[in-house]
Amino acid sequence: PVVQRELKEGHEIGVHTYTHEAGQIYASAESYFKDVCRVRAKLEETFDYTPKLWRFPWGSANCYICGYKKELVDRLEKEGMEYADWNVSAEDSVGSPTIESILQNIRKDCFRVEDPVILMHDSNSNKTTLDALESVLSLLQEQGYQFKTLSERKKPCHFGG
């Protein structure tokens, strides 16, 4: 129901991973590629939606992929997919975040970058991000920000780029 609602509301769905187990997905370029394709196939079969984006767990500069990142990026680009990183982090997946700490982390970096992409995590074990979301959206709207999909950006958000 959540993915259906997101699609109905015009949100863009990207691939993160199927397992999120570093030892499994990052064992090789092939294992990571298969994991992304598994999620993509599930989205296509279940929702008739073909994702155009994926996000590396721990970002595109993680130590797991340094030996095969280019191969992987090239291969997934041939499949019509682009990867996305972030340039602002809510730091909501470490420690015991509070609504105020999430807002503070976003305020700290959001207004320093030209076109912010904010990393936030939602999960059954972390309800604080959802609790903070309305305040985050209000903060950004008050500053004149608009919300668009990652594919609508002028250029992709990549670390170091």
Side-chain angles (χ1 to χ4, degrees):
V2 173
V3 173
Q4 284 175 315
R5 179 180 167 192
E6 289 170 337
L7 292 170
K8 184 178 178 185
E9 292 178 4
H11 299 283
E12 184 169 30
I13 308 296
V15 173
H16 191 43
T17 63
Y18 194 85
T19 64
H20 210 277
E21 295 291 330
Q24 208 174 334
I25 57 174
Y26 288 135
S28 67
E30 185 63 26
S31 62
Y32 187 85
F33 181 79
K34 284 182 179 178
D35 190 273
V36 168
C37 290
R38 184 176 183 187
V39 177
R40 185 180 62 186
K42 187 72 169 168
L43 288 167
E44 289 172 346
E45 292 164 15
T46 308
F47 303 102
D48 193 30
Y49 178 80
T50 302
K52 298 178 193 126
L53 295 171
W54 90 90
R55 181 174 74 77
F56 290 104
W58 307 286
S60 68
N62 75 65
C63 63
Y64 299 106
I65 58 171
C66 57
Y68 56 78
K69 177 183 170 184
K70 183 174 176 4
E71 170 191 346
L72 196 50
V73 169
D74 290 347
R75 190 168 179 191
L76 284 162
E77 282 180 350
K78 286 178 186 167
E79 295 287 324
M81 297 184 77
E82 172 70 49
Y83 74 93
D85 285 315
W86 60 93
N87 52 23
V88 177
S89 177
E91 296 296 328
D92 58 341
S93 67
V94 292
S96 300
T98 63
I99 292 172
E100 190 50 46
S101 71
I102 290 170
L103 284 167
Q104 182 178 342
N105 287 323
I106 290 171
R107 270 191 219 103
K108 174 176 62 84
D109 293 325
C110 193
F111 307 119
R112 294 182 195 187
V113 296
E114 183 180 331
D115 199 4
V117 174
I118 303 171
L119 177 67
M120 299 178 78
H121 300 81
D122 65 326
S123 67
N124 286 335
S125 62
N126 177 11
K127 302 282 187 203
T128 308
T129 299
L130 182 58
D131 294 340
L133 191 56
E134 189 174 322
S135 296
V136 169
L137 294 174
S138 294
L139 168 72
L140 297 172
Q141 286 172 327
E142 288 167 9
Q143 296 296 317
Y145 283 86
Q146 297 177 353
F147 304 93
K148 297 182 178 184
T149 65
L150 289 174
S151 290
E152 292 175 293
R153 287 175 55 89
K154 294 174 193 139
K155 64 179 189 169
C157 183
H158 293 168
F159 290 152

